């Protein structure tokens, strides 16, 4: 199953697509390159770990959400 949704992080809005089966998830995430590489990496990790509704139309990520990956920030 393939699903595309909008992701909001601070003032940025970008697309993310997840293709999921019973066993795996594959993400394609269009993170703005104007964000620092560390923040981009944290957003990738957050979405790869995301266990919410992958059929949602919109996911909002805050800097607080990324604190679990703070060793990368």
């Amino acid at each position: 199953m393939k699903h595309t949704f909008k992701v909001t992080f601070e003032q940025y809005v970008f697309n993310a697509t997840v293709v999921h089966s019973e066993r795996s998830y594959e993400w394609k995430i269009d993170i703005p390159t104007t964000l620092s590489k560390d923040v981009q990496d944290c957003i990738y990790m957050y979405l790869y770990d995301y266990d919410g509704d992958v059929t949602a139309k919109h996911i909002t990520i805050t800097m607080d959400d990324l604190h679990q990956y703070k060793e990368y920030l």
Side-chain angles (χ1 to χ4, degrees):
M1 176 181 234
K2 180 179 177 181
H3 184 72
T4 301
F5 50 91
K6 297 283 186 201
V7 177
T8 299
F9 175 73
E10 296 182 337
Q11 74 270 24
Y12 301 95
V13 179
F14 50 93
N15 291 322
T17 300
V18 61
V19 178
H20 52 98
S21 65
E22 291 180 19
R23 295 189 185 137
S24 67
Y25 291 90
E26 180 182 332
W27 289 90
K28 180 182 183 303
I29 308 164
D30 300 323
I31 297 175
T33 56
T34 52
L35 289 168
S36 74
K37 179 72 171 125
D38 290 338
V39 171
Q40 289 181 48
D41 290 346
C42 288
I43 291 172
Y44 274 110
M45 287 183 277
Y46 177 85
L47 287 172
Y48 275 97
D49 288 347
Y50 184 72
D51 61 358
D53 181 5
V54 294
T55 63
K57 295 197 182 307
H58 198 155
I59 294 175
T60 299
I61 302 172
T62 66
M63 190 57 88
D64 286 343
D65 294 329
L66 301 182
H67 280 310
Q68 61 185 318
Y69 308 105
K70 65 183 171 187
E71 66 269 17
Y72 300 101
L73 290 175

